Amino acid sequence: MLKLPANLRLRTKFLVSLVLIISGLTCTTLLVVRHTAWVQIQREIAEDARGSLLIFEMLRGQQHMTLTRSADLVAALPSVMALMITGDAETTQNSTEYLLHSANADLLALADSSGKIIALHTTLPEIPVDVAEITLRQWRSQGNTAGWWVSGGHIFQVALQPIVSGAPPNTRSLGTVIVGREINVRAAHDLSRICSSQVVFRHGSNVLVSSLSSLDLEELKHQLSGPLPPEQIRIGKKQFFTRSIELSPGGYPGTTLILLKSYTQALAYLERLNRLLLALGLIAVFAACLICFVISDTFTRPLENLVQGVRAVELGDFTYPLESRGGDEVAEVTGAFARMRGTLQSNEAKRQQLEDQLRQSQKMEALGRLAGGVAHDFNNLLTVIKGHCDLILERLDPADPSHSGSQQIRKAADRAVVLTRQLLAFSRSQVLQPRVLDLNALIGEMDKLLPRLIREDIEFVFRQGVPLGRVKADPGQVEQVILNLTVNACDAMPQGGKLTIETRNVTVDAEYASTRPTIQQGSYVMLATTDTGHGMDAETKARIFEPFFTTKEKGKGTGLGLATVYGVVKQSGGFIWVDSVVAKGTCFEIYLPHIDAPVDSSVLETPTAPISTRAETVLVVEDELEVRDLASEFLRSAGYMVLTACNGTEALALVKLTNKKIDLLLTDVVMPKMRGTELAQRLKAARPRLKVLYMSGYPEQHEGTDEFFEEQFIQKPFSRQLLLNKIGEALRRERVGSVTQTTPNLDFVKRSGKLILPN
């Protein structure tokens, strides 16, 4: 601890102590800032390197598709099939040379069904046939259809395509077409430019091709002694961050791509930052000395009144009178303390307000969980009610008096389904079917429905943003959002008015986000509805997204309309902003993330599947007895053989004891003892050809459910026809190997049911 001589004046002690403290704090702060900047630079370089690897993976996938297409075209040529049937290697070699140029490739080879190369053409010095045959046999044993071939210091990206003759099921394998494209220096430089990194292709310990200069490459070779490159590499005066990817996993020696991300620009920026921080440090110390010198003369005067005021605040008294006379430093400090005291008092009130908001948020979260749980159990009940009601209606004559009553039961069940889906939308747990959409086209397709909702005394205007970006969302849910907002706007204008629906592209920067604190920065497509109705006060506006809150008369609204809108927007990754003035109207702005992708025009409706006549066996696993019996009755009536189990443990035991072939597993997702996803994984491990169809009334996200997203899914409650359609579709579907994705695939079957009307 610093001790100053006792005979120094108080002013000098205060000045020296304050200068030293401020200097130390300033230097420490600047060093922390510099260290933070360096850490951030390293993090950004690492992120850029990972991004470059993703770009390479995308380019490799595109090149693989091109090569596969070329190989498929060559394999389909009648002349190639004829040559493969004759099996004359010399004739095949001479007759297929022209195919190398027509396939737009650097390597073309034909192999017979035993794996023997009978024709090989390249734009480079010939690859030894024996090397090509060894590589081909390794690939065929591993089941590979694409990869990388290395020979004579050259590297090729190749794709394999079988040559078959005859029509299924009497097809016969004639051989294999191999098409490849060389990765030369020019291609390496192109890849380097696209990935914004230096690239090096290495086979074992040998560098095949690189975008580096010869001198830099020689220096790099000395540092690549191990199988993996070091994370940091210095070449000359340049420092690089490295990332590598294995191009031929399992092969020996392995083929590796190394990306080198330069630190040059980052180090230059850090050098400029060091000079700036040094200048700021000197300025801060000089300013601190000047300020200390100016205030030290009067700051040491008696401060009894100020001390008493501080003690009063410690005791919780914010009303103690403070005397502030004149304009000197003591008066300023006293005034500053008075303002601080007011700020503390205001902060106490804000703290109480924040606690209230936190309790409200926790209440909404608990209510959302409750809604999802209720929907889960309620959907099981509705499945039984609707299913048996449908069975009764099928068996009753329309003239039967019970037929009308059964229809009323089904209508009531349908209304309950709508309410359940509103609860799931509020709790953000409904199954979405995202597609790439053009909001202008979507609203245009609703031109027949919207006029029926909008009264004649309301003027309707649709302003299209042109050009308008694309969004990815569930079209049915987006239509529901538009309907809910439209009906609410019409209800807010009982005497007529004007309703405007607008779309446009919006880039949210820091300034724009400051006016709408709930929205994050980025590129969005905005959908806005504006009315000239009676508007809302601040208290009503703060509660409009709460479930079951409504300003309408009792019995005229469920209070779930805007809660549904909020849940759909949030589950779609978007934001919603509301601006309303009493007696002037309300504007709802919905911001959905902009994506660069073409509009998805795929058809979402599930075609009607014919009833099976092959008597496939279906294992039904459901913990609810009534739902299990209903699903079994649906399946047996369609000609299926049905086995049942009440949980995963019982299902495993049943499969172990039976010798019957089980074609499909129909299982609930959430069950006691074992989840449906775990059951499916364990059964498919023993029976790989087993098809799976999941069913659930509340498909919540849960760790370890990736397999669930790769299979077919049906949401409760379901009808007999919908269940049979999904069963037929699942049985016809070929099993496709899973593909690693950055986000789970949420494309499920389009939900049935009526549109959800707003509150």
Side-chain angles (χ1 to χ4, degrees):
M1 182 176 181
L2 178 64
K3 292 185 178 181
L4 298 176
N7 58 349
L8 291 179
R9 296 173 60 113
L10 182 60
R11 172 183 175 182
T12 305
K13 291 181 180 180
F14 178 78
L15 180 62
V16 173
S17 300
L18 199 56
V19 167
L20 291 177
I21 292 174
I22 292 177
S23 299
L25 290 176
T26 301
C27 294
T28 302
T29 302
L30 296 178
L31 289 175
V32 171
V33 170
R34 182 189 181 280
H35 175 72
T36 303
W38 173 242
V39 172
Q40 181 63 27
I41 288 172
Q42 289 181 315
R43 186 180 296 112
E44 291 178 356
I45 291 292
E47 289 295 331
D48 289 344
R50 282 192 288 270
S52 298
L53 285 178
L54 292 177
I55 292 174
F56 170 75
E57 291 287 0
M58 180 185 68
L59 294 176
R60 180 169 66 170
Q62 293 176 348
Q63 181 70 8
H64 170 62
M65 292 177 60
T66 301
L67 292 173
T68 301
R69 191 179 301 112
S70 299
D72 187 51
L73 291 175
V74 172
L77 290 175
S79 59
V80 173
M81 291 187 179
L83 290 172
M84 297 303 298
I85 292 174
T86 59
D88 188 347
E90 182 178 357
T91 303
T92 303
Q93 176 72 15
N94 297 331
S95 301
T96 57
E97 184 175 2
Y98 74 96
L99 294 177
L100 180 65
H101 302 287
S102 61
N104 192 21
D106 298 320
L107 180 146
L108 175 67
L110 298 177
D112 59 18
S113 58
S114 65
K116 180 180 179 181
I117 300 295
I118 61 175
L120 177 63
H121 303 281
T122 66
T123 58
L124 304 170
E126 292 293 336
I127 296 178
V129 174
D130 55 347
V131 174
E133 290 180 349
I134 292 173
T135 306
L136 178 60
R137 284 196 296 270
Q138 292 176 348
W139 280 31
R140 294 179 64 177
S141 64
Q142 297 173 359
N144 295 336
T145 60
W148 303 82
W149 278 14
V150 177
S151 177
H154 299 279
I155 179 171
F156 297 86
Q157 184 180 0
V158 300
L160 278 67
Q161 181 67 29
I163 303 173
V164 297
S165 65
N170 298 320
T171 57
R172 181 168 64 92
S173 175
L174 301 178
T176 305
V177 175
I178 305 105
V179 176
R181 187 74 56 82
E182 184 193 11
I183 305 299
N184 52 25
V185 175
R186 180 178 178 181
H189 282 284
D190 290 341
L191 180 60
S192 172
R193 183 176 64 258
I194 295 173
C195 296
S196 301
S197 307
Q198 298 293 340
V199 299
V200 176
F201 287 87
R202 188 172 65 155
H203 183 64
S205 60
N206 299 322
V207 174
L208 302 175
V209 65
S210 166
S211 61
L212 293 170
S213 64
S214 300
L215 294 178
D216 291 345
L217 183 59
E218 287 300 323
E219 187 171 351
L220 175 65
K221 290 179 179 179
H222 295 294
Q223 304 184 48
L224 298 178
S225 56
L228 295 177
E231 189 174 274
Q232 304 284 343
I233 288 180
R234 178 175 292 277
I235 302 176
K237 297 182 179 180
K238 299 178 181 179
Q239 187 172 352
F240 295 90
F241 179 87
T242 66
R243 276 285 186 269
S244 63
I245 180 173
E246 185 69 32
L247 300 179
S248 56
Y252 182 81
T255 305
T256 309
L257 169 68
I258 303 174
L259 293 178
L260 296 92
K261 183 69 67 171
S262 174
Y263 276 100
T264 302
Q265 295 181 352
L267 294 176
Y269 164 77
L270 189 62
E271 184 65 26
R272 293 193 299 271
L273 181 62
N274 288 338
R275 291 194 293 267
L276 177 61
L277 293 177
L278 179 60
L280 289 176
L282 295 176
I283 293 174
V285 172
F286 178 77
C289 295
L290 181 61
I291 294 173
C292 291
F293 178 79
V294 172
I295 68 174
S296 62
D297 185 50
T298 55
F299 191 72
T300 55
R301 296 178 182 181
L303 305 174
E304 183 65 24
N305 180 254
L306 183 59
V307 171
Q308 293 298 328
V310 172
R311 291 177 179 173
V313 171
E314 291 178 348
L315 298 175
D317 182 9
F318 293 92
T319 61
Y320 183 86
L322 293 174
E323 298 179 2
S324 179
R325 299 176 181 176
D328 58 13
E329 288 81 355
V330 174
E332 292 179 1
V333 172
T334 304
F337 177 74
R339 292 189 296 272
M340 182 185 68
R341 186 174 64 177
T343 302
L344 290 174
Q345 191 172 9
S346 175
N347 288 344
E348 181 67 20
K350 291 181 179 179
R351 184 183 66 83
Q352 184 64 36
Q353 182 181 4
L354 290 175
E355 289 180 354
D356 294 340
Q357 292 177 352
L358 177 60
R359 284 192 292 271
Q360 177 69 10
S361 175
Q362 291 173 340
K363 181 180 70 174
M364 296 293 290
E365 178 68 20
L367 189 57
R369 292 179 178 272
L370 175 62
V374 169
H376 174 265
D377 294 334
F378 201 46
N379 274 331
N380 281 334
L381 298 176
L382 289 175
T383 301
V384 178
I385 294 172
K386 283 178 58 62
H388 284 288
C389 185
D390 290 341
L391 291 175
I392 292 173
L393 286 173
E394 288 180 2
R395 296 166 183 170
L396 289 177
D397 187 271
D400 193 311
S402 300
H403 190 276
S404 176
S406 300
Q407 285 185 326
Q408 294 300 322
I409 295 175
R410 183 167 62 180
K411 289 180 180 179
D414 289 338
R415 293 178 61 187
V417 170
V418 171
L419 181 60
T420 303
R421 286 178 178 164
Q422 285 181 317
L423 289 172
L424 288 175
F426 159 68
S427 62
R428 307 179 205 173
S429 301
Q430 79 274 35
V431 179
L432 292 184
Q433 185 187 11
R435 298 171 58 200
V436 180
L437 303 176
D438 182 345
L439 290 183
N440 287 340
L442 181 68
I443 298 174
E445 293 174 357
M446 299 176 65
D447 59 353
K448 295 182 179 179
L449 179 61
L450 289 178
R452 299 179 182 177
L453 299 177
I454 302 173
R455 303 191 308 274
E456 294 182 355
D457 59 349
I458 297 177
E459 178 187 357
F460 174 63
V461 177
F462 176 33
R463 296 175 181 169
Q464 301 186 29
V466 179
L468 189 67
R470 306 292 185 255
V471 299
K472 189 169 186 179
D474 187 316
Q477 291 297 327
V478 175
E479 289 177 355
Q480 189 61 59
V481 167
I482 296 172
L483 291 175
N484 287 9
L485 295 179
T486 299
V487 173
N488 276 353
C490 293
D491 291 342
M493 298 182 287
Q495 305 301 324
K498 181 178 181 180
L499 170 62
T500 303
I501 297 181
E502 178 185 4
T503 59
R504 70 170 184 268
N505 298 324
V506 175
T507 300
V508 178
D509 54 15
E511 181 180 357
Y512 192 97
S514 64
T515 63
R516 293 162 173 78
T518 60
I519 302 176
Q520 298 179 3
Q521 299 184 36
S523 297
Y524 298 91
V525 176
M526 185 191 74
L527 168 66
T529 62
T530 306
D531 63 68
T532 58
H534 49 64
M536 297 178 286
D537 56 24
E539 182 179 356
T540 303
K541 178 182 172 182
R543 299 187 60 193
I544 57 175
F545 295 123
E546 293 184 12
F548 310 111
F549 173 78
T550 179
T551 58
K552 298 178 182 179
E553 298 178 9
K554 185 176 181 180
K556 292 188 176 181
T558 64
L560 284 174
L562 291 179
T564 300
V565 170
Y566 184 83
V568 169
V569 172
K570 284 298 183 181
Q571 194 173 2
S572 299
F575 302 91
I576 187 169
W577 176 259
V578 184
D579 187 17
S580 184
V581 179
V582 176
K584 291 187 177 180
T586 302
C587 177
F588 285 86
E589 296 177 356
I590 295 174
Y591 296 83
L592 297 176
H594 173 273
I595 66 170
D596 294 324
V599 173
D600 186 357
S601 59
S602 60
V603 178
L604 297 179
E605 299 294 342
T606 303
T608 301
I611 296 178
S612 171
T613 58
R614 295 180 298 169
E616 293 93 339
T617 300
V618 179
L619 173 59
V620 180
V621 185
E622 166 63 56
D623 57 314
E624 291 287 341
L625 173 62
E626 294 81 2
V627 178
R628 186 168 68 249
D629 291 344
L630 179 65
S632 300
E633 184 174 354
F634 283 168
L635 294 174
R636 289 191 181 99
S637 66
Y640 291 100
M641 301 292 294
V642 179
L643 302 176
T644 61
C646 64
N647 55 53
T649 303
E650 181 178 325
L652 291 175
L654 177 63
V655 172
K656 186 176 181 181
L657 293 176
T658 184
N659 294 325
K660 294 183 178 180
K661 176 187 177 184
I662 300 178
D663 300 282
L664 183 136
L665 168 67
L666 174 63
T667 177
D668 193 13
V669 177
V670 181
M671 294 186 297
K673 297 184 180 181
M674 183 183 301
R675 292 178 62 86
T677 52
E678 180 183 353
L679 171 63
Q681 291 173 355
R682 295 177 65 173
L683 287 181
K684 288 197 294 183
R687 303 191 179 199
R689 300 184 62 84
L690 178 69
K691 303 297 188 301
V692 179
L693 176 62
Y694 291 105
M695 57 180 174
S696 179
Y698 176 41
E700 82 285 19
Q701 298 296 325
H702 188 275
E703 182 178 0
T705 59
D706 291 343
E707 183 70 16
F708 164 62
F709 294 117
E710 297 175 2
E711 300 292 350
Q712 296 291 312
F713 172 81
I714 185 171
Q715 185 173 359
K716 300 176 185 176
F718 48 78
S719 65
R720 176 179 179 273
Q721 187 60 53
L722 180 58
L723 177 62
L724 296 181
N725 289 346
K726 293 301 295 182
I727 290 288
E729 179 184 344
L731 289 172
R732 292 192 305 270
R733 189 170 71 108
E734 292 293 335
R735 179 65 176 152
V736 181
S738 60
V739 180
T740 303
Q741 301 178 347
T742 57
T743 58
N745 178 13
L746 297 179
D747 293 341
F748 295 111
V749 63
K750 185 176 181 181
R751 295 176 301 284
S752 61
K754 299 180 180 178
L755 292 173
I756 304 173
L757 294 180
N759 51 351

